[in-house]
Amino acid sequence: MDPSRRIRQARRTFRAARDVAGLVAREPGLVRDVVADQLPERLRPLVGARSTADAPVDADLAGLEHEVPTELGDHLRQVRAQALLDVDPATAAGVVGDLAQQEHWLTLHAAWRGDAPGHAVEGSTHGQQLSIMGIPAEVAWTVARADDAVLVLRGKGPMGLTLGLAATVHPHRGGTHVVLDAGLSGDPVKGPLGASVTRSIGEALEESLARLRERLDGGAGEGGSARPVLHHATGRRLDPRTPVIVGVGQVVQRESVAPWREPADLAATALERALADSRGDAGLLASADAVYAVASASWQYRDLGAVVAKRIGAEPATTVQTARFGGDGGQLVVNEAARAIAAGESSVVLVVGAEAGATLAAAQVRGETPAWTEQGADVRPTRSLGSEREANTELEGRVGLGAPVYNYALMESALRAREGTTKDEHLARITRLWSSLSEVAAGNEHAWLPRAFTPDELATTSLDNRPVASPYPKLLCANLQVDLASGLVVTSVAAAEAAGVPQDRWVFLHVGASAHDEWFVSERNTLDASPAIRAIGTALAQHAGRPIADVEVVDLYSCFPAAVQVAARELGLPLDDPDRPLSVTGGLTFAGGPGNNYGGHAVATMVQRLRERPEAFGLTTSLGWYATKHAAGLLSARPPTAPFRDLHPTVPIEARRPAVASWDGVAVVEACTVASDRAGDPEWAVVSAITSDGARGLVRVDDPELLAELDGDDPLGWGVAVEDGRLVVAERTRSDLPDAPPMPVLVDDRGPVRVITLNRPERRNAIDLATAELLERVVDAFEADDAVRVAVLTGGTEVFSAGMDLRSAATGQFPVTERRGPLGITARPLTKPLIAAVEGPALAGGCELALVADLVVAAKDSVFGLPEPRRGLAAAAGGVLRLTQRLPRNAAMELVLTGEPMPAERLHALGLVNVLAEPGGSLEAALELARTIGLNAPLSVEVSREIVLAAPDWPVDEAFARQSDLAGRALASQDAIEGVAAFAEGRDPVWTGR
């Protein structure tokens, strides 16, 4: 730089300094706010400290000591508000520390992002939308400090904004001195705008304290607001809503005598034992606000929870009962109780399950009918939990697969085929496994059969161990004729503290999960796997941050050996680890299989084990029907690092096999089990064979000669055929199993775009129940996959879809799914963009499928129509409804009333079709549209789409405010920062979706 330029610059700097000095004398606050950040660093001392918007100080506040919490950090701008409140410090701290109450007193609050937070706990996070100068700002907060006197939040907002908010409570002359400190840094608060932002926040904090005073004067906080609970062993402060099991009780009644005790009596006794186990106040059971019950199989109560509640003197506001049948129920109620407590819906939940099958059998032997509780037809629980869907298809029932033992025995055969072992080798494997469980049961005081058996004893058949279904004798089967009950007391940690439960009794529920496999056994891709268990294990591990392989204590639902082997393989657990047996009870043979409630006993026993090993984690699993419905949970005496969640992971999609009773040609035997009568003689068999086209043939065998061959030889891999309705052996050499047939819905990812193709060309892509169920799962997976941004739904190059499969519907199989309704997609709105790529006809349900999409690309020669009136039907999958939203009234009426198809070119002119493509080109045109969408920020797309869908229902006077509220999610995102930065730097943005 030349000397003359240096001189000119020095003169400008001097003049600026002189002007600033004069202005400081006249308007010191204004200068500090507006000018400070515009001056060179060397001149900032002229204007004093960095921006501090000093609110007027009340004379009563003058001289009061206060230090800004160090956790607030050194922000570019800081602001403070303070007030004296006429309440005790504990009450004030209780309200201030309850983050959810901010919506009532913090004027900066606009909305919560996600669930409203609970009481502040150090390390916890939550999302909040603030309103700063009327502009929405999305902030991701972390609680940096939360104790009896100080709350500090650190947050990240839009455009690189960082914030700090601290609330400090000081005792003062019988009342409370409350100070709110706020700090701001980042580009949005630099320069003149920063001064205005800071002043606005200062004013908001002053108003917030006025609202806080009003709220406290109105009684908020009276009665003791729930506050973080100190966990003594770890020194951590816990959210008061953290769910914890504080008491467990079990009842085993091995001798049944009159007067006959019914299941509700046993359940009440189990709860009384759970109360004693908790060492808490005597009134803990009576204080329960909910009772969750596993449905009893031995006696059908309409609301078991209500019956038990009456026996123990509780008056719960809520009762919950599981589905009539399903061993997953024992874990489901535990997970649901934890969820309700974590959500603040309940504080004390009693979980019960009980069976008196042995007593009922004893009474029947004596010709007596117990006079047990009968409830009126109008009695029902507040809520039901679990699926009541039927367990079997008509074909499964016809061949004999109507009971668990035959299904699991068939699975066992498939497991042996997978391993390539002989019958003797496999029997030795599973008897070793079951022997290890019996050793556990021998040490379990609540086991029904507390005795250890050797593998040889289990393998040897006798009068006491008769053959049931090969390879299972009786002692490898669940024992359902038992009298067992369990009771759990599940509370929040705040309720546990209030009830005086010592913390060494606490076992925390970290995470739960549930899912189901392909519902019908006969339609599964393979009989020796469980994608649902695999998905559950992954979900649990990700939430807890702990691989399942590292879990120290395990209880796998053990009704039959096949169930344990499948679960262990899917979860990556060895079968023969002597330091980690796969049951804590001994399983359903030896500990007992009390109807639906084995899971209750597993959790109760697990709690006792984890108290003995406070650093360990425990895994409990339950299943219902035939390895169909699954639930699991992770527990530990160590507090969780993340709030409890009850997860419902997406199950990996596998091909479904159609089940048939007969077939042409030769099929390969996949599995076989021979059922025996009570004398131990072969009575009948069921054979599962895979046909050349990948279907599963199921045949019942009653012919004595073939039965003897199936029982004495090894038919796995044989070729079999059906002649005159009878199974015949065609080949005794082993062959590989044919692959499953192509799926009726195909998935293909092309970068961030997922192509979903209807794949039933032989039926013109008509939707039957199997296709609808698969489409639902495909859509669920699309919604859950963060790596996929847009989906394209297509039917290939010939036809989009002919709608509902009328032939299938004529047999009573309608394509309606549990969650997404008609056609597996039409009843529940998607949260991501969907594009329909239409070739050929899109008629009836096919038209309704296209109308689900946000955008439609259609070949010029394609047609759309709703011909339902011609068949005496109505377009009830949303077709008529959506047409009225997408087309002018008269055009919609024409389609609906005439039933005539309408060409794509006319619908393009009317605005329903977005893009016209040459025949055969709709998919590529849709992909181009999808790729264009994919270039945009995910949150911006999500928010914009949500506004378009919601805006028609908004009142005119609220519309602008509502769209601003939604838009704030995008405007305050990290992607907004990235988008502006990328534009300024001349590069493509890298979106994170945050």
Side-chain angles (χ1 to χ4, degrees):
M1 184 182 297
D2 62 61
S4 60
R5 186 175 178 183
R6 287 199 185 97
I7 293 172
R8 289 195 299 272
Q9 186 179 62
R11 287 173 177 170
R12 286 196 298 271
T13 301
F14 177 79
R15 285 196 297 269
R18 182 193 59 195
D19 294 341
V20 166
L23 190 56
V24 165
R26 299 191 302 273
E27 296 287 343
L30 177 62
V31 172
R32 283 200 302 271
D33 283 339
V34 179
V35 182
D37 291 316
Q38 308 303 310
L39 293 178
E41 191 70 33
R42 64 184 181 277
L43 295 180
R44 290 188 181 178
L46 289 171
V47 298
R50 285 181 174 179
S51 173
T52 301
D54 296 316
V57 179
D58 188 283
D60 292 334
L61 296 171
L64 293 182
E65 294 184 359
H66 169 73
E67 292 184 3
V68 177
T70 57
E71 295 86 356
L72 197 64
D74 182 21
H75 282 280
L76 181 66
R77 296 180 182 274
Q78 296 178 3
V79 65
R80 176 182 302 162
Q82 51 187 325
L84 294 176
L85 306 181
D86 190 20
V87 295
D88 64 274
T91 299
V95 173
V96 170
D98 186 354
L99 297 173
Q101 294 205 41
Q102 286 185 355
E103 60 188 71
H104 301 296
W105 65 270
L106 185 65
T107 60
L108 293 168
H109 172 84
W112 298 116
R113 288 302 171 220
D115 296 334
H119 216 290
V121 178
E122 289 181 15
S124 64
T125 60
H126 63 279
Q128 185 177 26
Q129 183 175 306
L130 303 181
S131 178
I132 302 175
M133 297 177 62
I135 301 172
E138 197 92 357
V139 178
W141 292 110
T142 298
V143 179
R145 180 178 173 186
D147 56 34
D148 293 337
V150 182
L151 167 67
V152 181
L153 305 178
R154 290 199 190 113
K156 294 183 178 180
M159 310 298 290
L161 177 67
T162 60
L163 304 92
L165 181 63
T168 307
V169 174
H170 301 287
H172 180 69
R173 296 180 183 176
T176 303
H177 174 211
V178 179
V179 184
L180 300 180
D181 289 291
L184 301 91
S185 296
D187 290 341
V189 295
K190 291 180 180 178
L193 181 60
S196 300
V197 170
T198 306
R199 285 189 179 280
S200 172
I201 290 179
E203 293 168 358
L205 295 184
E206 291 286 345
E207 185 179 349
S208 296
L209 286 175
R211 287 192 183 183
L212 181 62
R213 178 183 284 110
E214 293 173 1
R215 183 157 182 79
L216 289 168
D217 287 346
E222 289 182 1
S225 176
R227 303 177 66 180
V229 173
L230 177 64
H231 187 250
H232 304 305
T234 61
R236 290 179 50 201
R237 290 182 178 272
L238 307 179
D239 187 315
R241 299 179 299 184
T242 302
V244 63
I245 299 176
V246 299
V248 297
Q250 299 185 69
V251 173
V252 54
Q253 181 176 264
R254 297 189 185 92
E255 294 185 6
S256 302
V257 295
W260 315 111
R261 296 183 70 197
E262 65 177 287
D265 296 327
L266 302 181
T269 300
L271 283 176
E272 290 165 358
R273 293 181 179 180
L275 174 62
D277 175 73
S278 75
R279 302 177 188 170
D281 294 346
L284 181 56
L285 296 185
S287 71
D289 42 26
V291 178
Y292 290 8
V294 178
S296 177
S298 55
W299 192 256
Q300 296 285 322
Y301 296 92
R302 296 182 184 275
D303 186 357
L304 174 59
V307 178
V308 174
K310 186 174 182 180
R311 278 165 166 71
I312 61 172
E315 297 181 356
T318 301
T319 58
V320 173
Q321 186 158 301
T322 63
R324 290 171 299 163
F325 301 105
D328 59 323
Q331 186 71 50
L332 282 180
V333 286
V334 173
N335 293 352
E336 174 61 14
R339 185 211 60 78
I341 288 170
E345 298 169 9
S346 299
S347 296
V348 178
V349 179
L350 308 181
V351 178
V352 298
E355 296 291 347
T359 289
L360 198 60
Q364 290 172 344
V365 167
R366 293 180 54 174
E368 298 181 16
T369 300
W372 289 350
T373 301
E374 298 277 0
Q375 294 173 293
D378 60 333
V379 174
R380 56 180 53 86
T382 309
R383 286 188 291 119
S384 297
L385 194 63
S387 175
E388 295 279 5
R389 187 177 179 183
E390 292 295 328
N392 294 101
T393 66
E394 184 276 333
L395 174 59
E396 290 171 0
R398 181 157 32 102
V399 301
L401 294 178
V405 62
Y406 305 119
N407 285 276
Y408 285 100
L410 201 64
M411 295 176 202
E412 196 71 59
S413 179
L415 282 164
R416 182 170 68 81
R418 178 189 184 114
E419 295 155 7
T421 56
T422 66
K423 287 184 175 181
D424 288 343
E425 289 169 340
H426 192 75
L427 182 61
R429 171 187 172 91
I430 60 179
T431 52
R432 283 196 304 270
L433 171 62
W434 237 235
S435 176
S436 70
L437 299 191
S438 74
E439 292 172 359
V440 173
N444 177 9
E445 63 177 312
H446 300 112
W448 182 257
L449 183 58
R451 175 193 158 187
F453 290 82
T454 68
D456 285 344
E457 288 176 308
L458 297 173
T460 303
T461 58
S462 64
L463 291 176
D464 294 328
N465 191 31
R466 63 181 178 83
V468 179
S470 63
Y472 296 153
K474 183 179 178 181
L475 288 175
L476 295 187
C477 299
N479 183 5
L480 303 182
Q481 196 166 297
V482 298
D483 286 359
L484 292 171
S486 68
L488 310 174
V489 181
V490 189
T491 75
S492 65
V493 291
E497 285 278 88
V501 178
Q503 291 192 3
D504 61 6
R505 313 307 291 166
W506 295 7
V507 172
F508 297 93
L509 295 140
H510 284 236
V511 58
S514 60
H516 68 79
D517 278 307
E518 189 70 55
W519 197 263
F520 299 116
V521 171
S522 62
E523 296 178 354
R524 293 175 190 168
N525 187 17
T526 65
L527 301 179
D528 58 4
S530 173
I533 293 179
R534 194 184 323 141
I536 284 174
T538 300
L540 294 178
Q542 289 177 345
H543 180 84
R546 188 179 189 85
I548 297 300
D550 291 346
V551 173
E552 293 90 346
V553 191
V554 172
D555 189 278
L556 302 184
Y557 193 91
S558 44
C559 49
F560 300 92
V564 177
Q565 293 168 85
V566 169
R569 188 176 69 244
E570 299 292 11
L571 295 170
L573 298 171
L575 291 176
D576 54 359
D577 183 350
D579 296 324
R580 185 174 57 187
L582 297 180
S583 177
V584 295
T585 68
L588 280 78
T589 299
F590 310 108
N596 301 319
N597 189 49
Y598 170 79
H601 293 273
V603 172
T605 308
M606 180 65 75
V607 166
Q608 295 171 322
R609 298 291 181 273
L610 294 176
R611 286 171 178 166
E612 298 164 359
R613 301 178 62 181
E615 294 302 311
F617 275 72
L619 167 71
T620 55
T621 74
S622 290
L623 60 80
W625 287 130
Y626 321 126
T628 307
K629 306 182 285 185
H630 305 274
L634 278 179
L635 304 89
S636 178
R638 181 191 307 175
T641 56
F644 177 89
R645 287 190 62 196
D646 188 10
L647 305 172
H648 305 283
T650 300
V651 177
I653 297 169
E654 294 189 349
R656 172 189 282 181
R657 294 186 186 271
V660 296
S662 62
W663 59 90
D664 295 327
V666 176
V668 181
V669 174
E670 170 195 29
C672 172
T673 183
V674 177
S676 299
D677 60 21
R678 298 191 72 83
D681 297 322
E683 186 175 21
W684 55 273
V686 59
V687 172
S688 173
I690 305 301
T691 67
S692 59
D693 60 359
R696 176 175 284 112
L698 290 178
V699 179
R700 180 185 174 106
V701 176
D702 297 297
D703 176 67
E705 185 176 340
L706 183 54
L707 266 179
E709 186 174 15
L710 295 175
D711 190 41
D713 210 328
D714 186 355
L716 298 183
W718 286 3
V720 292
V722 175
E723 296 179 0
D724 299 325
R726 297 173 59 250
L727 189 75
V728 297
V729 178
E731 301 170 0
R732 286 177 172 78
T733 57
R734 293 190 179 277
S735 300
D736 294 332
L737 298 178
D739 292 333
M743 292 194 292
V745 181
L746 303 178
V747 174
D748 177 29
D749 284 348
R750 307 190 188 188
V753 181
R754 177 159 295 172
V755 178
I756 302 171
T757 304
L758 302 176
N759 187 40
R760 300 189 76 210
E762 75 285 357
R763 299 290 298 132
R764 295 178 61 78
N765 289 337
I767 310 296
D768 63 358
L769 178 58
T771 306
E773 289 177 340
L774 182 55
L775 185 57
E776 178 182 74
R777 292 176 61 187
V778 166
V779 171
D780 287 346
F782 162 61
E783 295 272 66
D785 193 339
D786 292 336
V788 183
R789 303 272 308 285
V790 187
V792 175
L793 178 63
T794 179
T797 58
E798 299 297 326
V799 58
F800 183 69
S801 174
M804 180 172 66
D805 189 323
L806 295 180
R807 292 182 188 176
S808 179
T811 68
Q813 294 287 313
F814 293 95
V816 180
T817 60
E818 289 188 28
R819 292 188 317 284
R820 296 191 180 272
L823 309 180
I825 190 174
T826 62
R828 184 174 178 176
L830 277 69
T831 61
K832 293 181 180 179
L834 176 68
I835 303 172
V838 179
E839 297 279 351
L843 302 175
C847 181
E848 293 178 294
L849 282 174
L851 290 171
V852 171
D854 299 292
L855 304 172
V856 178
V857 176
K860 292 179 179 178
D861 59 353
S862 62
V863 294
F864 297 73
L866 296 176
E868 280 85 353
R870 295 184 174 186
R871 301 184 182 98
L873 304 173
V880 176
L881 178 68
R882 291 187 171 98
L883 279 179
T884 62
Q885 299 167 347
R886 308 277 184 89
L887 289 176
R889 178 183 180 276
N890 284 11
M893 282 292 189
E894 181 181 341
L895 270 169
V896 169
L897 300 182
T898 67
E900 289 286 339
M902 191 172 287
E905 291 184 324
R906 183 179 175 198
L907 290 172
H908 179 256
L910 291 170
L912 178 66
V913 173
N914 297 85
V915 178
L916 282 175
E918 294 299 323
S922 65
L923 177 57
E924 188 53 47
L927 286 170
E928 183 60 33
L929 194 57
R931 285 189 284 265
T932 302
I933 295 172
L935 295 174
N936 300 323
L939 269 177
S940 298
V941 170
E942 176 186 319
V943 165
S944 300
R945 180 177 179 275
E946 192 172 342
I947 292 172
V948 170
L949 294 175
D953 297 325
W954 288 342
V956 174
D957 59 341
E958 298 179 13
F960 194 85
R962 291 196 182 187
Q963 67 88 30
S964 296
D965 180 60
L966 290 175
R969 296 210 311 269
L971 296 174
S973 67
Q974 294 180 21
D975 279 351
I977 302 170
E978 168 64 10
V980 172
F983 177 81
E985 296 166 13
R987 58 173 176 83
D988 293 332
V990 178
W991 307 123
T992 62
R994 296 191 294 273

